Amino acid sequence: MTPQIEAFLEMMAVERDASPHTLSAYGRDLADAEMALSDAGGLMKADAEAVEAWFADLSRRGLSAATAARRRSSARQFYRFALAEGWRSDDPSRRLDAPKQGRSLPKVLSRDEIDALLAASAARDTAAGLRLVALVEMAYASGLRVSELLGLKVEAIQRNPAYLIVRGKGGKERLAPLNTAAREAIKAWLVVRDAKRKPEVPDSPWLFPSSGRTGHLTPRRFAQLLDEAAITAGIDPARVSPHVLRHAFATHLLEGGADLRVVQTLLGHVDIATTQIYTHVATDRLAQVVQQNHPLARDD
């Protein structure tokens, strides 16, 4: 990684309060561009034609439109920073057009599949099973992003709250609900969590502690545990992920008649258009239920 890229990432962290996940993504994107543009002198010396050729090659390499759009954004922000710092007198990314992205519907599990996933989670050995049940119950009951869920501290769930105060994207706070099942799962997990702690080791502040670098369970490990539970439950692991539990939370609320604005608030979406995609999923599922179960339903 070049000094200029490092300076850009430092600016993003300090001045824009970018999350570690965002910084990691920017770093990967710019490192890829630096390598691809090496024959043209790297990011700092490449001209507009070279940068445009790099961007056009992304689709030929099989990258999705969403990934290409993110790399375009990374390059454009880097070059704006380079201009502001006086490192370059031009912006070779100015003519990059955003790739067209298809509207993909989120993957969603049915209520029966959620129940099967919870049963498979509980079938694991005591401590691991109780932890995974708590994770699944909380994700499904609250719609938390995986980073928000795994970043919870024990103090957040003291006094058995009905709502969590969550700091989401952009540092904005919102309330995330916890139903009875989630609260009972948390209490059961805390019993074994505290019992596992060695007296000579200070207690971890994290609700789901880990011995890794972050001190808490990682998204990757959570996803691995869900894959294992999905296989046990007879569900295709490709359809299950921490984010799918958030999708299920939103879709099942809308299927149950929840107001779209309420769901937007619970998910922490700034733009209601982001939330509206779940209405398509809910409508499709409701139409399928009618088609399969209504006595007057007929095939076309």
Side-chain angles (χ1 to χ4, degrees):
M1 192 173 294
T2 67
Q4 291 84 5
I5 294 177
E6 291 181 345
F8 168 74
L9 296 177
E10 182 178 354
M11 179 276 294
M12 292 294 293
V14 175
E15 296 184 15
R16 302 192 187 177
D17 195 27
S19 69
H21 178 76
T22 299
L23 294 174
S24 177
Y26 277 128
R28 290 194 303 272
D29 292 345
L30 294 174
D32 175 84
E34 180 69 22
M35 182 177 296
L37 293 167
S38 58
D39 291 343
L43 284 165
M44 292 306 301
K45 294 184 179 180
D47 58 19
E49 288 73 19
V51 172
E52 289 164 17
W54 158 75
F55 185 69
D57 190 54
L58 295 180
S59 60
R60 289 192 289 270
R61 288 163 53 187
L63 273 67
S64 68
T67 301
R70 194 193 69 209
R71 293 198 175 179
R72 170 184 176 270
S73 175
S74 298
R76 295 199 67 182
Q77 292 195 61
F78 173 79
Y79 280 122
R80 289 194 192 103
F81 177 68
L83 275 172
E85 292 294 309
W87 297 339
R88 291 196 59 136
S89 59
D90 66 326
D91 178 2
S93 69
R94 66 188 183 281
R95 294 186 303 201
L96 295 183
D97 293 326
K100 295 181 179 179
Q101 301 184 46
R103 188 184 181 95
S104 59
L105 296 178
K107 300 175 184 176
V108 177
L109 298 174
S110 68
R111 291 177 176 83
D112 288 341
E113 288 173 326
I114 293 289
D115 290 339
L117 196 63
L118 285 167
S121 302
R124 299 171 66 92
D125 68 80
T126 305
L130 290 174
R131 181 181 66 176
L132 188 53
V133 169
L135 285 163
V136 175
E137 288 281 15
M138 291 182 71
Y140 179 58
S142 64
L144 290 175
R145 298 180 178 92
V146 65
S147 59
E148 297 167 345
L149 173 60
L150 301 181
L152 285 173
K153 294 186 176 181
V154 175
E155 62 186 16
I157 49 82
Q158 288 176 343
R159 298 177 183 162
N160 193 27
Y163 290 88
L164 295 171
I165 299 177
V166 181
R167 187 180 295 276
K169 289 186 177 181
K172 295 183 179 180
E173 290 187 342
R174 72 179 192 279
L175 293 177
L178 288 178
N179 59 24
T180 301
R183 292 156 69 187
E184 291 299 319
I186 293 170
K187 285 193 285 187
W189 159 239
L190 286 177
V191 172
V192 295
R193 175 192 179 279
D194 295 341
K196 288 174 60 179
R197 184 173 68 87
K198 298 178 181 179
E200 67 274 12
V201 179
D203 189 19
S204 169
W206 307 106
L207 178 57
F208 300 104
S210 169
S211 58
R213 179 178 57 83
T214 62
H216 58 72
L217 199 68
T218 64
R220 182 177 181 181
R221 181 56 182 152
F222 183 20
Q224 290 172 341
L225 295 172
L226 282 177
D227 284 350
E228 295 169 6
I231 293 171
T232 302
I235 303 170
D236 181 359
R239 297 182 53 236
V240 180
S241 72
H243 206 60
V244 166
L245 296 176
R246 176 172 159 90
H247 292 327
F249 163 81
T251 305
H252 294 171
L253 278 178
L254 289 170
E255 287 178 351
D259 182 84
L260 186 64
R261 289 286 183 185
V262 173
V263 176
Q264 176 193 6
T265 300
L266 293 173
L267 291 173
H269 287 162
V270 175
D271 187 349
I272 197 169
T274 307
T275 317
Q276 283 177 325
I277 192 170
Y278 294 104
T279 63
H280 297 281
V281 179
T283 301
D284 289 347
R285 288 176 62 82
L286 290 174
Q288 183 181 16
V289 169
V290 172
Q291 184 66 27
Q292 291 176 348
N293 298 287
H294 195 282
L296 297 182
R298 293 287 185 272
D299 293 331
D300 293 332

